[in-house]
Every structure is written in C-alpha cells, then in structure tokens.
Amino acid sequence: MNTKTGTNIDEAISLLRSGEIVAIPTETVYGLAGNGTDEKAIQKIFKAKKRPLSNPLILHFSNLEHLSKYVKNLPKHAKILAEHFWPGPLTLLLDKSEIIPDVVNAGNRRVAVRIPNHEMTLKLLSKIDFPLAAPSANLYGRISPTKVEHVLNQLDQIIPYVLNGGECNNGIESTIVGFDENSPIIYRLGAITVEQIESCLGQKVKIHNHNIQNSGPDASGMVKFHYAPRTPMYSIEEISTKEETSNFGYIGFDTLNHLIPAENQFLLSEEGDLRIASKNLYHAMHHMDQKHFEKIFICDFPNEELGRSMNDRIKKAIAKFNV
Ligand code: TXA
Ligand code: MG
C-alpha cells in the first residue's frame, strides 16, 4: 500500500469514513486514527501497530457535548479538569457507554477520552459524527512520533494517509487521570504536570504505581519496556571512564558531556527549558537511533514538573537494555 502524505482534511475524512486508518497530528504526538465506533477499523489499528488487543485505546473528540454521549457520567473532578485543560494534553478514564465496541478499550469498564489541542485535527473531528480512536502512531514498544518523518519511518506502506500537521508542540503523550471512588489518580505522567493537576484541583493527587504489573487496567504506562530505540540506550550514570567512547552518542539536557565527542551529542534545550526539552525528547531519540552508534547515553531530569514525565519515558526506554 502506498502511503500518501498531505494536508487535505477531506481526504483524511473520506478514508476514515470508509473504515480506513490515518495518522493524524495532535499537540502531543501523532496518533494512528480510525472510526472509534467501527470494530473493523479498530482491528486495523491494532494490526498496523502490532499492538496486543489487551492494551486499550484513547477516543478523541472535538467537544465535550459530543464526548458526553460516549460516557456514562462526568465525576465532579473530571468536569473541573476537562473545563480547565481541554482542548489539551489530558486524557480522562470515564465509565463507557454501550455504543463503544469493547475492542476499543479491551472490555474495560472505563474508556480513555480526550479533546486534543491541534487546529487541523480539531477541524477534522468537528466534521465527523464519530470519535477517533487513536494510539500513538508508532509500532508497539517503539518511540512515539512527533513529526511526519517519524511516522513514515515506522508505518510507511502500512497505512494509506498521513495528515501533515507539522511538529507536535508538546512532544510527550497526554497525562492520564482516572477516578477511584471520586478521588483522582494519575495513571500516566505526561504533558500536563502533576503540579498543574494538583493546583487545578486544589489537592494532592495520587500517582498510580507504574511498576506494578498485571494489576488493574492494562496501561502501556505499566509495561516495563516502552518508547525504546533500537540502539542500546543507557542512563549517563552508567558510563564508565574506561570505555572507548568515540562511537557513543549522548542525549543531554543543556550541558555537553566531556567523555563523549561533542559531534555525537544532542542537547534537548541549551537554554535549560523543560518545555523545549520535552518537545525535542522523542525527536532526539529517533534522530540518534539512526546514527548507528554502538550505545546511546541519556541524561535524567530533576524529578519535578515536566522533568518527572520525561524521566518516566526515559526509564522505560532504557529498561529494555538493563535486564
Ligand atoms: O497523547 C496521547 O495520549 C496520544 C495522542 C495520539 O492522543 N495517544 C496515546 O495513545 O499516547 P497510546 O495508545 O499510545 O497510549 C494510551 C495509553 C495506553 O497506555 C493505554 O493502556 C492507556 O492509555 N489506556 C487507554 N484506555 C485505558 C483504560 N480504559 N484504562 C487504563 N488505561 C488505559
Ligand atoms: Mg503509545
């Protein structure tokens, strides 16, 4: 199958209406979208990504009114967060209504929903009367795409169309929040920080322990290996001064590492800005993965604000190489 790239929203819509899947831009990462009410389209998404059916998808809407038809109720805290952060990089886990086929959310009681903040995709969503189910547009376990070229590197010839909406502004996935007996819990750290959620709700919020596997809903946030490049990647803490470093790469925050050749390094934000670093994180991982280094080393961030979300992704990307 030839993969076309373009900015034609109507072309994307006609493919989606006919049950096809299309990569779409969002403010976080590119998504691989299909009609969220069409079981066959959903199956195509799982197949294209090689993703296990046990890992549920997020439904995307253009407005709260449309979204409300697909969930049973909106708890008080969910309403406050929705009004404050949508459109934006927040996903809420809500009780699903029967219209949503079970394949979307692996038969869970709850479904993940969000209103993304990307002009082109909001326009597309406002022209259709069904939600778009969309996981990140990467192969299962690999690095999420923040540019069209990242999508094509993994899904060229596999999907018919990539809607080109430029670079994703946030560059890291949405923050997932669920509610247990009405108390909010963060299920995946992401582009909206814990501090932002807590300040919006005026209370401390629990973070679901990502290391506990096979308990509760199956979120890829809880799978140990994820977001991984093919080149072995390690924390910069692991580098040994005895190693020959000429074929090592380094992804740093704002400061070069003196052990690795400067030309092998990618700084995420020379000005030390966490928002810029998060926008660049996956791009840096994709870019360095293509350089054929023997090993890639990566920095870690102070465990606060976006640094905490980036540390989460980095930890999962390097876990694969530290077994
Ligand atoms: O920023 C984002 O959220 C992007 C863009 C495209 O919207 N999407 C995204 O989707 O990151 P995906 O499928 O790559 O990650 C969604 C996460 C997975 O870890 C999934 O397991 C979790 O959400 N999830 C979805 N539905 C869930 C549910 N009902 N209960 C628990 N976790 C759920
Ligand atoms: Mg993903």
Side-chain angles (χ1 to χ4, degrees):
M1 173 188 300
N2 268 337
T3 304
K4 234 175 116 178
T5 299
T7 54
N8 191 334
I9 294 177
D10 292 329
E11 190 166 351
I13 290 178
S14 85
L15 285 162
L16 290 163
R17 283 206 176 111
S18 72
E20 268 307 332
I21 57 175
V22 167
I24 55 161
T26 82
E27 79 281 36
T28 58
V29 300
Y30 273 77
L32 181 55
N35 178 345
T37 61
D38 175 351
E39 209 169 315
K40 285 206 181 105
I42 306 296
Q43 300 277 6
K44 279 189 191 169
I45 295 176
F46 282 99
K47 192 162 172 240
K49 273 184 68 92
K50 302 199 174 86
R51 169 162 164 147
L53 286 162
S54 57
N55 197 338
L57 308 181
I58 299 174
L59 290 180
H60 298 69
F61 299 84
S62 67
N63 63 69
L64 200 50
E65 200 191 326
H66 191 206
L67 185 153
S68 303
K69 293 182 190 144
Y70 291 79
V71 297
K72 285 202 174 132
N73 54 354
L74 204 57
K76 183 182 79 185
H77 291 306
K79 192 160 184 274
I80 297 172
L81 291 172
E83 281 169 359
H84 195 269
F85 292 109
W86 280 345
L90 171 76
T91 293
L92 297 177
L93 298 178
L94 301 174
D95 285 347
K96 81 161 188 150
S97 84
E98 282 75 31
I99 348 168
I100 303 168
D102 277 347
V103 63
V104 168
N105 67 332
N108 276 296
R109 174 174 58 87
R110 295 184 299 185
V111 65
V113 292
R114 85 178 190 100
I115 302 179
N117 188 15
H118 190 289
E119 207 187 325
M120 201 177 231
T121 290
L122 279 175
K123 195 160 172 200
L124 186 161
L125 283 165
S126 71
K127 289 178 152 196
I128 53 180
D129 57 6
F130 50 86
L132 290 180
S136 50
N138 51 280
L139 297 173
Y140 185 64
R142 300 263 296 276
I143 310 163
S144 304
T146 56
K147 292 180 174 193
V148 167
E149 62 172 276
H150 304 155
V151 178
L152 293 175
N153 285 345
Q154 300 190 33
L155 296 174
D156 194 21
Q157 311 292 319
I158 296 175
I159 58 172
Y161 198 71
V162 184
L163 188 63
N164 184 352
E167 260 180 67
C168 302
N169 264 330
N170 291 90
I172 191 162
E173 293 85 349
S174 61
T175 302
I176 302 182
V177 180
F179 305 90
D180 199 355
E181 306 278 322
N182 267 332
S183 80
I185 301 176
I186 296 180
Y187 279 85
R188 177 176 71 180
L189 298 166
I192 289 176
T193 64
V194 177
E195 291 85 346
Q196 282 176 290
I197 305 250
E198 290 182 339
S199 116
C200 171
L201 295 176
Q203 67 175 80
K204 284 271 168 209
V205 172
K206 271 194 262 170
I207 299 172
H208 195 272
N209 186 349
H210 286 179
N211 298 320
I212 299 172
Q213 285 187 39
N214 305 326
S215 73
D218 181 8
S220 61
M222 293 177 219
V223 178
K224 228 177 145 201
F225 311 146
H226 217 72
Y227 314 104
R230 278 160 299 181
T231 316
M233 192 162 91
Y234 304 93
S235 161
I236 192 65
E237 311 277 312
E238 308 282 319
I239 198 165
S240 148
T241 45
K242 297 192 191 85
E243 284 182 286
E244 163 57 47
T245 62
S246 61
N247 197 25
F248 289 178
Y250 177 56
I251 301 173
F253 180 22
D254 53 1
T255 320
L256 292 172
N257 183 282
H258 62 283
L259 294 173
I260 294 174
E263 66 274 19
N264 294 2
Q265 304 196 37
F266 189 119
L267 290 187
L268 295 168
S269 168
E270 284 184 36
E271 44 299 71
D273 183 327
L274 287 172
R275 272 171 311 178
I276 298 176
S278 110
K279 180 172 181 179
N280 287 330
L281 179 65
Y282 289 151
H283 172 64
M285 284 164 63
H286 281 283
H287 176 80
M288 298 296 263
D289 200 19
Q290 300 200 323
K291 296 262 179 189
H292 304 292
F293 290 125
E294 188 188 330
K295 294 178 182 178
I296 299 167
F297 288 87
I298 188 159
C299 64
D300 63 9
F301 292 90
N303 234 353
E304 57 188 29
E305 311 272 347
L306 282 172
R308 191 164 177 169
S309 308
M310 287 191 277
N311 286 344
D312 170 78
R313 303 304 192 268
I314 291 169
K315 200 167 105 199
K316 287 184 186 111
I318 63 182
K320 184 172 172 186
F321 309 104
N322 286 284
V323 276

